[in-house]
Amino acid sequence: MDIDNYEIRIESIGGFGANLIGKLLGEIGAMYLGMEAQSFASYGSEKRGSPVKGYVRYSKKEIRINAPVREPNLLALFKLSLGDKENTLAGISEKSNVVINTDLDFDEAAKRIKLPSCNLWILNAMDIAVECNARLNIVMLGAMIRASGFIPLEFAEDVVKNTVGARYPDKLTANLMALKMGYSRVEEKKIKTKYPYAQYRDTQRVQGYDNSPIGGVNYCFANSITNDLQGCREGFLPHYIREKCIDCGLCDSTCPDMVFQFKDGVNLGMDLYHCKGCLRCVEICPTAALVAVKEGEYYDNIGNISLINKNFEFTNIGENSWVDSESYNNDEV
């Protein structure tokens, strides 16, 4: 396949190793394909569960752009629930290849995230990673190079040996197996849907260079009160069993995102809109009133099912750390 310009966008969360895969793809382009290659990532705080975006470009000419990939030839979703976040599916057309880690079938996956018509590739990368005792990102790398149609598997094997193998030699065999299984097990289908093409939009923040007050006063407090944290979850959620709860409040004290709600000293359960699935509450609960369940087992990937205050205005860009101060002036809690 003759590729003059090729662009890849990776949508993931911290802890899945998407940043490394972007670097490996960049190295494949420059060192093995003999092309001009660019690879960089976009992320906030480097922590498990926070959004990560990776961008890779290949070209036969000098690359003179350093900006997010707006219309990817190849899009990789390391987690299906990221699909409904702003810009995640931007630029996808019928010519695009989209690789998704999911246990759903083609039609269900496309419907869940309202995926525009494209060439869809799916695989359950998490199960493959567990089977091989390897990392999910290596499985996704195998699926991505298969979907590209022009990157040889041997090149990916070499770069994994020279990078991951050099750092973790005891894990090399497992990772090479995961790479091959991701390559061989990913399934392809050309899908036609009713969902429209989404144009990439620059994210607008509450406060920035143009509208910051003189003197450097920061009136935007760091908080996650407006943030949809569903995309940060890694497949598990806490399930609340009211009958076993003694209202001790340990879950509330250990929760980093304050998702538990109490009224008159009684625990009313979680606000799953803000829950990122860290499961600290499950670990600390003394009566097993909180247990870990697979996402979708009790709750169909929806949040705020127990939210007392329904008047919050939520963002749709995933996790960030800004909220305007007026959010604290709502006394209907």
Side-chain angles (χ1 to χ4, degrees):
M1 182 181 293
D2 185 23
I3 300 296
D4 292 326
N5 295 284
Y6 196 83
E7 296 188 326
I8 303 171
R9 190 168 74 227
I10 302 171
E11 301 281 351
S12 182
I13 60 175
F16 279 172
N19 190 15
L20 172 62
I21 293 308
K23 293 177 180 178
L24 296 185
L25 286 167
E27 184 171 339
I28 289 173
M31 303 299 294
Y32 293 84
L33 296 176
M35 302 179 72
E36 293 290 321
Q38 178 190 76
S39 172
F40 65 98
S42 171
Y43 48 86
S45 56
E46 293 188 76
K47 64 179 181 180
R48 193 176 188 85
S50 59
V52 174
K53 295 177 181 288
Y55 308 105
V56 180
R57 288 186 172 93
Y58 298 152
S59 179
K60 291 185 177 180
K61 299 179 181 179
E62 182 180 2
I63 299 175
R64 300 183 61 85
I65 184 174
N66 187 21
V69 172
R70 293 172 176 262
E71 296 183 341
N73 300 97
L74 174 61
L75 171 68
L77 288 184
F78 277 46
K79 194 171 188 294
L80 182 67
S81 61
L82 292 169
D84 63 356
K85 300 298 174 282
E86 185 174 290
N87 283 332
T88 300
L89 301 180
I92 296 303
S93 67
E94 293 186 359
K95 296 180 179 179
S96 304
N97 286 292
V98 179
V99 181
I100 303 179
N101 165 35
T102 179
D103 59 355
L104 301 180
D105 62 28
F106 290 98
D107 295 335
E108 289 177 335
K111 183 179 179 181
R112 178 70 61 85
I113 61 176
K114 299 180 179 179
L115 183 65
S117 298
C118 65
N119 199 34
L120 178 58
W121 302 72
I122 62 172
L123 77 165
N124 193 332
M126 184 63 76
D127 280 1
I128 295 174
V130 172
E131 181 180 343
C132 297
N133 192 25
R135 295 290 303 277
L136 178 141
N137 59 344
I138 301 297
V139 181
M140 288 297 289
L141 175 61
M144 291 170 67
I145 61 173
R146 169 82 178 279
S148 74
F150 69 96
I151 302 176
L153 177 61
E154 305 82 62
F155 290 176
E157 288 177 326
D158 284 347
V159 79
V160 168
K161 291 176 184 177
N162 295 334
T163 54
V164 181
R167 190 170 182 179
Y168 306 105
D170 57 324
K171 296 289 185 180
L172 178 57
T173 300
N175 280 314
L176 287 176
M177 182 185 300
L179 179 71
K180 293 177 181 178
M181 290 179 70
Y183 185 92
S184 62
R185 289 194 184 181
V186 66
E187 299 179 3
E188 173 193 11
K189 181 180 179 181
K190 190 78 173 179
I191 63 166
K192 286 278 189 180
T193 69
K194 62 182 180 180
Y195 306 113
Y197 172 89
Q199 188 169 3
Y200 191 96
R201 298 188 303 170
D202 292 326
T203 300
Q204 298 297 317
R205 300 295 185 184
V206 176
Q207 181 179 345
Y209 177 83
D210 291 333
N211 63 345
S212 294
I214 296 176
V217 177
N218 178 16
Y219 58 84
C220 290
F221 308 100
N223 199 286
S224 61
I225 197 169
T226 65
N227 299 340
D228 179 357
L229 301 187
Q230 297 177 68
C232 299
R233 301 199 279 252
E234 297 185 23
F236 292 92
L237 284 174
H239 174 57
Y240 178 52
I241 306 172
R242 174 61 213 168
E243 294 76 20
K244 294 185 178 181
C245 182
I246 58 175
D247 300 312
C248 64
L250 286 174
C251 55
D252 187 45
S253 64
T254 196
C255 177
D257 298 296
M258 299 181 290
V259 305
F260 288 91
Q261 300 168 104
F262 284 76
K263 186 174 183 179
D264 299 328
V266 177
N267 190 345
L268 301 183
M270 310 85 65
D271 159 27
L272 292 177
Y273 187 95
H274 295 93
C275 176
K276 61 174 175 278
C278 69
L279 302 180
R280 293 182 187 178
C281 57
V282 173
E283 295 173 4
I284 203 171
C285 182
T287 62
L290 289 158
V291 295
V293 297
K294 285 187 176 181
E295 192 166 3
E297 184 175 348
Y298 287 92
Y299 317 104
D300 189 20
N301 284 323
I302 56 175
N304 66 316
I305 60 173
S306 304
L307 188 62
I308 297 174
N309 187 350
K310 304 290 186 181
N311 296 322
F312 287 133
E313 293 184 5
F314 298 113
T315 64
N316 192 39
I317 58 175
E319 185 181 15
N320 65 79
S321 51
W322 299 107
V323 56
D324 89 53
S325 58
E326 294 303 312
S327 297
Y328 293 95
N329 294 338
N330 196 325
D331 57 5
E332 297 181 9
V333 178

